């Protein structure tokens, strides 16, 4: 099993910044992609940004130029630096990791895990 634990959410005024962190733990063999998604009330979960193990990044158009995703492969950790926050960025932010884990009985298998979510609220 792979567990993801997020931290860093909170309440901030428009124009402010927050930094989210997500640490993966468990029987991890390798992590391919780590990413951040968000879900606002009454809306579907959407991709914010993701990053491959090689460092290739992809961002939603709505956050380009304001958010930066990064990761520490050695610590299985991913970060999301959010600047110039807007009220429309208010949502629960979820971390996701895709990769390969070591099964209890031996052998390898793919995994895709989600964190529990962290609330980000931007006031106007």
């Amino acid at each position: 099993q792979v567990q993801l634990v997020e931290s860093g959410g909170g309440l901030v005024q428009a124009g402010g910044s927050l930094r989210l962190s997500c640490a993966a733990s468990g029987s991890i063999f390798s992590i391919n992609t780590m990413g951040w998604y968000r879900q606002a009330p009454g809306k579907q979960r959407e991709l914010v940004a993701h990053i491959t193990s090689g460092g290739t990044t992809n961002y939603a158009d709505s956050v380009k130029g304001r958010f930066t995703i990064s990761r520490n492969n050695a610590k299985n950790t991913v970060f999301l630096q959010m600047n110039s926050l807007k009220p429309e960025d208010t949502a629960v932010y979820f971390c996701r990791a895709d990769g390969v884990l070591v099964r209890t009985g031996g052998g390898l298998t793919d995994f895709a895990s989600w964190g529990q979510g962290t609330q980000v609220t931007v006031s106007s």
Side-chain angles (χ1 to χ4, degrees):
Q1 300 296 329
V2 176
Q3 296 80 39
L4 301 180
V5 178
E6 301 117 332
S7 60
L11 173 64
V12 64
Q13 289 188 330
S17 298
L18 283 174
R19 180 177 171 86
L20 305 182
S21 300
C22 172
S25 62
S27 303
I28 299 170
F29 179 79
S30 64
I31 299 179
N32 299 323
T33 301
M34 300 189 81
W36 290 94
Y37 291 71
R38 66 186 181 188
Q39 187 167 18
K43 295 188 177 181
Q44 290 188 330
R45 190 172 298 189
E46 63 177 3
L47 172 69
V48 176
H50 65 72
I51 183 168
T52 68
S53 57
T56 299
T57 58
N58 183 51
Y59 294 92
D61 287 342
S62 59
V63 306
K64 284 181 180 178
R66 300 188 298 122
F67 292 9
T68 302
I69 189 170
S70 61
R71 65 188 278 180
N72 182 324
N73 290 333
K75 295 185 177 181
N76 292 329
T77 304
V78 65
F79 307 95
L80 186 67
Q81 178 66 42
M82 304 185 293
N83 299 328
S84 302
L85 283 160
K86 305 175 180 179
E88 50 263 44
D89 294 318
T90 296
V92 178
Y93 283 69
F94 297 89
C95 174
R96 176 185 168 102
D98 297 82
V100 179
L101 62 81
V102 180
R103 294 189 294 184
T104 302
L108 304 176
T109 190
D110 294 340
F111 76 88
S113 296
W114 291 91
Q116 80 285 355
T118 184
Q119 177 70 46
V120 171
T121 303
V122 184
S123 63
S124 58

